Every structure is written in structure tokens, then in C-alpha cells.
Amino acid sequence: SLMPTAKKIAAKPIRLLDPSKSAPEVPFDVHQMLFKESPDAILVLDSRLNITDSNSAATKLTGFTADELIRVGWLGLLPPQAETENNRSRPLERRFLEQAGTYEDICIKTQEGDTKNVQLRVKPDDNGRMTLLMFRDTTERAEIQTRLVEKHVELRNAASEIEKKNAEASDKEPVR
């Protein structure tokens, strides 16, 4: 039974952190591991908006190696204008990178030239020395939304056709 265990846990006093003391320091290795293993693509930008680092999810999402991302910079992720006109998301823009707390659905270009829909979150550090760009791939979600819209239009057109056929059928019936 879980009841005795729950009673033991409830009986223990809760220790609160002393607000006058700073939180324990987290070792740099932990931060590095979280950065490298994050399922979200992360790019690190310096104060001049140059890419200085990326994690494995970023290289997987974009198709660029870490060195290529540093070389092409964020401008290398801009999709061609023609591809963004038919896309629901806006292309990556410099203004998104400069605003703390930006959370946008945007599209980026991969190394293969494909356009991917992503959610962008921008998190600058407190000193303005670096900015994290975090991308979450939403391409599949966007494709599902597009299919739903197409299905909705198809069903609406079918309903209109049925209404027309019913109206025609009622006009042809003899009046009694």
C-alpha cells in the first residue's frame, strides 16, 4: 500500500531555500550537456549577431554542420522570397533576433534549400554578450494544418453541391 509511504513523506518537514543566500552554482558541464543534448535546435549568437556555436539538433534541423552554420551565419537560413509568399510563416528577420522574448512562427531555409516551419524563441543573456536562438521544428504541424484547411474547403464545396442537388430535385418534383 502507498498510504504508509505517503504518511512518511507528509511527516517530513519541508526545507525552504533561504532567500538571503544565492542558489547553488550549477557546474558548467551540466549547462554544456543540456545545450548539446536539447531536442530543440539552439544557435548561440554574439553581440554582433554572429553564430558562435550550435547544438546537434540545430545541425540536424538545418542540414548544415556546426562549422558551416558559423560560416553562413543566420543570413544563410533566410529562405528565398518566392518560397515565403506561399508559406503561412514569416521568414527569419533581423528584428526577431534583436528583441528579447521574441516568440514567433517563422520559416528558415535548410542547406538542401527546403523551407522548414519553426517556432523561434530569442533569449539574450543579462549582459548583452550573447543571445540564444531556440528553434522547434513545426513543419509537420504546418502540413497537418494545411491539409485540414484543404479538407474543410473540400467538405464545404461538397455541402454546397448537395444543397444544389437538393434544390434541383425539389424543383423537379410534381406538386400534389
Side-chain angles (χ1 to χ4, degrees):
S1 168
L2 293 176
M3 195 52 88
T5 305
K7 286 181 183 176
K8 286 180 191 174
I9 293 172
K12 289 186 178 182
I14 298 173
R15 286 190 358 209
L16 299 176
L17 291 176
D18 183 351
S20 65
K21 296 180 181 175
S22 62
E25 285 290 318
V26 178
F28 181 74
D29 296 357
V30 173
H31 289 281
Q32 194 67 10
M33 184 181 71
L34 290 171
F35 169 72
K36 292 293 181 192
E37 299 303 322
S38 172
D40 292 335
I42 303 174
L43 299 177
V44 179
L45 305 182
D46 64 16
S47 61
R48 294 186 318 266
L49 300 181
N50 297 313
I51 296 174
T52 59
D53 201 359
S54 60
N55 67 354
S56 59
T59 59
K60 183 178 177 185
L61 175 69
T62 64
F64 290 103
T65 66
D67 290 338
E68 289 171 333
L69 280 168
I70 290 170
R71 197 169 49 256
V72 300
W74 69 271
L75 290 171
L77 301 176
L78 293 177
Q81 182 65 30
E83 289 189 27
T84 61
E85 291 171 357
N86 297 325
N87 198 312
R88 292 173 183 247
S89 299
R90 294 182 285 184
L92 178 62
E93 296 176 21
R94 182 182 185 96
R95 66 185 173 96
F96 295 148
L97 309 181
E98 296 171 335
Q99 297 173 1
T102 294
Y103 193 80
E104 288 280 337
D105 286 336
I106 62 165
C107 55
I108 60 171
K109 180 187 75 160
T110 65
Q111 183 189 37
E112 295 81 27
D114 300 327
T115 300
K116 290 219 178 207
N117 295 298
V118 296
Q119 283 180 336
L120 168 68
R121 182 159 182 249
V122 177
K123 176 69 176 113
D125 74 345
D126 295 333
N127 304 323
R129 292 182 308 214
M130 70 173 196
T131 300
L132 296 179
L133 300 184
M134 292 165 274
F135 298 98
R136 179 166 289 159
D137 190 353
T138 59
T139 303
E140 184 177 341
R141 185 183 77 187
E143 289 170 355
I144 290 170
Q145 287 174 334
T146 300
R147 287 196 304 267
L148 282 172
V149 168
E150 290 169 352
K151 184 57 78 177
H152 175 75
V153 169
E154 183 182 319
L155 291 172
R156 188 178 61 217
N157 291 342
S160 295
E161 285 297 315
I162 290 170
E163 286 178 15
K164 284 181 190 176
K165 299 279 185 193
N166 285 340
E168 290 171 5
S170 67
D171 289 344
K172 291 180 182 178
E173 289 182 16
V175 180
R176 295 181 191 199

